[in-house]
Amino acid sequence: MANIRDMHDTQERMNAAGVEYVRGMPAVKVFGLTVSTFLQFHNSITGYRDWAVQYVRFCKRPYMVFITILASLIVFILPVGVFILSQKPDNQAFALTLMLFLVVAPGFVTPMMKLMNLGGNMRIIAEGVERIDEIFAQEPVAEPINPQKAEGYNIEFDHVVFSYDDPAVSTRTEALAGVSFTAREGELTALVGPSGGGKSTIAYLIPRFWDVGTGAIRIGGVDIREMGSEQLMDMVSFVFQDVHLFYDTIEENIRMGRSDAGYEEVVAAAKAASCHEFIECLPQGYQTRIGEGGTYLSGGEAQRVAIARAILKNSPILVLDEATAFADPENESKIQAGLSELIKGKTVIIIAHRLSSIREADQILVVDEGRIVERGRHNELIDRDGLYRRMWRAHIDADSWTIAAEQASKAVNE
Ligand SMILES: Nc1ncnc2c1ncn2[C@@H]1O[C@H](COP(=O)(O)OP(=O)(O)OP(=O)(O)O)[C@@H](O)[C@H]1O
Ligand SMILES: [Mg+2]
């Protein structure tokens, strides 16, 4: 039977596939995926159509009977009334009653239709409410009964094991398999390693996007599960790998770091994050709306705006997930300049993709397959014959390759 749950399900799939399709348009074009990706979108639309057709078929008969009875009121009343009246032509009372029904009957149709639609709408609403309830039924992050205050801002990972649960396929992906380290206050701790190693996962666990499986994360000696979530959020600033800017002015996007900051403070933060210059060049400066009139920022610019946001928040702990895509040296040096301002006297964890940016780090942790496989300062790790050295070599080779390419192109031009 076609039910309302199916309608919502198919609509949901159709919307998701639509968004996915539009978002993936560049990839679709570049890789010539038109047929296969469109197929998914197409299937979701036909899925909805099938549901609708099935639903209409299911409702057709009862609806027809209902409408026929409703619409035929007059057709039924008039001949029967006239027939009865013809038997007793002098019955005035009956004639008046008949008149009344003839006048009132058409007026019944609309409310009756509404009543019937109400039944359908109630089912749609009930289904919607059920879906909202499902969201409300999600367990919120457990708040401690006696929140404790952190003494200092050292971050300590103590044998942290963590898996992303996937209830849909009932498998568990172990993302961290026993991670222990301490990121000290006033120091820069860098996480490096191959893609998928678990670096971002380590970062996400600090503001409790998820809770650890076993082990513990402590800030200033206090387990983060024993802290009030507001206190924790006040302590940590986050610059994500994929920066999200809101559909709002640049000024407001930066002010999100601290809502009571004045305009001057916003500008000062932007200057510190090396994004003041490009903002000034935008059509309406700080009042430019992102996403409007074709104003989009490049990935590097967006990340600098996010850094400005973090500078404004000025929290004692900073977690920065460096974006992979922004490898151009000029942008990197600008981000670096913004960062050096930001990290003074704080506990900083940087997930770095360009090793040159973390040579001066106080501690480098090499993360691979959910474990810390090496740790130390840059020079110590270079001396060891391990993963870091191999990564560094690859990095150097990539750089010298760029220089070689530049020289070659110069030679060609000369
Ligand atoms: N939301 C998620 N749900 C399920 N699995 C996830 C999720 N996020 C990450 N993973 C898995 O956890 C592992 C670690 O991922 P993580 O994002 O921490 O890697 P990473 O070191 O940050 O990689 P990159 O350098 O590419 O950013 C990977 O195997 C990944 O597939
Ligand atoms: Mg990552």
Side-chain angles (χ1 to χ4, degrees):
M1 192 194 96
N3 62 32
I4 300 293
R5 172 166 280 273
D6 290 341
M7 177 184 86
H8 282 259
D9 283 344
T10 46
Q11 265 180 353
E12 214 165 78
R13 272 198 293 275
M14 188 168 65
N15 291 342
V19 171
E20 184 76 358
Y21 184 66
V22 172
R23 271 206 188 151
M25 211 68 103
V28 169
K29 277 196 172 178
V30 170
F31 294 103
L33 299 172
T34 351
V35 178
S36 60
T37 36
F38 188 71
L39 197 67
Q40 236 184 20
F41 187 30
H42 180 258
N43 286 346
S44 65
I45 295 173
T46 47
Y48 183 65
R49 184 203 59 194
D50 292 346
W51 177 88
V53 169
Q54 200 190 352
Y55 185 68
V56 170
R57 287 223 175 98
F58 169 71
C59 297
K60 196 168 68 179
R61 271 167 217 272
Y63 191 75
M64 257 161 47
V65 172
F66 182 76
I67 291 289
T68 314
I69 292 176
L70 216 59
S72 63
L73 266 181
I74 299 181
V75 183
F76 175 73
I77 292 172
L78 198 63
V80 173
V82 169
F83 174 72
I84 295 175
L85 208 57
S86 67
Q87 304 293 309
K88 291 180 182 169
D90 51 351
N91 190 344
Q92 265 194 9
F94 181 76
L96 284 174
T97 316
L98 180 64
M99 285 295 285
L100 176 75
F101 271 93
L102 285 178
V103 172
V104 170
F108 263 112
V109 177
T110 322
M112 288 302 274
M113 290 290 285
K114 279 197 175 151
L115 212 61
M116 189 193 65
N117 287 340
L118 183 73
N121 286 345
M122 290 299 272
R123 280 166 60 197
I124 293 177
I125 291 168
E127 169 60 25
V129 168
E130 207 172 287
R131 272 158 200 260
I132 294 171
D133 281 347
E134 265 171 36
I135 296 170
F136 279 135
Q138 295 281 332
E139 289 282 323
V141 174
E143 287 286 335
I145 302 162
N146 299 314
Q148 298 184 20
K149 263 195 127 39
E151 304 284 336
Y153 299 111
N154 280 354
I155 303 176
E156 187 190 348
F157 271 61
D158 185 4
H159 298 94
V160 171
V161 176
F162 174 76
S163 308
Y164 288 100
D165 277 318
D166 194 348
V169 279
S170 71
T171 55
R172 292 168 74 87
T173 346
E174 194 155 273
L176 299 182
V179 168
S180 299
F181 70 90
T182 304
R184 284 183 196 81
E185 196 175 333
E187 288 192 357
L188 194 156
T189 300
L191 300 176
V192 298
S195 185
K199 304 179 294 294
S200 296
T201 306
I202 291 179
Y204 290 149
L205 294 184
I206 299 171
R208 288 188 76 194
F209 287 177
W210 288 277
D211 269 335
V212 298
T214 59
I217 301 172
R218 285 183 276 271
I219 297 181
V222 177
D223 192 314
I224 53 172
R225 286 166 293 189
E226 300 297 324
M227 283 179 196
S229 55
E230 218 164 283
Q231 187 205 351
L232 183 62
M233 290 307 160
D234 282 348
M235 269 194 305
V236 187
S237 296
F238 226 114
V239 178
F240 291 102
Q241 199 164 12
D242 316 300
V243 173
H244 183 81
L245 296 181
F246 292 90
Y247 178 69
D248 206 335
T249 61
I250 298 218
E251 183 184 345
E252 286 307 320
N253 264 292
I254 297 178
R255 187 171 287 129
M256 256 153 225
R258 188 159 50 84
S259 51
D260 60 351
Y263 178 72
E264 297 303 321
E265 287 172 288
V266 169
V267 174
K271 280 186 179 153
S274 313
C275 52
H276 179 69
E277 278 171 40
F278 86 78
I279 295 174
E280 290 278 88
C281 293
L282 292 172
Q284 279 120 31
Y286 281 84
Q287 303 311 318
T288 310
R289 267 182 183 274
I290 291 168
E292 198 168 75
T295 308
Y296 291 97
L297 302 185
S298 78
E301 290 166 345
Q303 190 150 50
R304 263 139 64 196
V305 170
I307 292 174
R309 204 186 262 169
I311 290 180
L312 196 62
K313 183 169 172 187
N314 195 24
S315 59
I317 294 170
L318 170 74
V319 182
L320 176 92
D321 202 345
E322 193 183 75
T324 2
F326 320 136
D328 85 90
E330 194 195 353
N331 194 33
E332 192 193 335
S333 71
K334 281 188 177 148
I335 289 188
Q336 285 298 315
L339 277 180
S340 54
E341 182 66 26
L342 179 55
I343 63 185
K344 277 178 207 152
K346 298 188 173 168
T347 314
V348 185
I349 296 184
I350 290 190
I351 298 169
H353 294 281
R354 283 179 66 83
L355 299 188
S356 51
S357 57
I358 48 138
R359 283 178 72 163
E360 304 304 323
D362 299 286
Q363 175 180 223
I364 296 173
L365 307 170
V366 185
V367 184
D368 188 19
E369 295 184 352
R371 289 170 204 282
I372 296 178
V373 290
E374 281 175 70
R375 62 182 82 203
R377 294 183 73 99
H378 175 78
N379 288 340
E380 295 163 16
L381 292 174
I382 289 292
D383 289 344
R384 238 175 272 161
D385 185 19
L387 182 56
Y388 187 81
R389 186 151 105 175
R390 287 204 296 281
M391 286 171 63
W392 180 252
R393 287 228 165 281
H395 177 68
I396 296 290
D397 285 351
D399 268 4
S400 59
W401 178 81
T402 327
I403 293 164
E406 267 172 19
Q407 282 169 347
S409 71
K410 261 191 199 155
V412 170
N413 289 337
E414 277 164 13

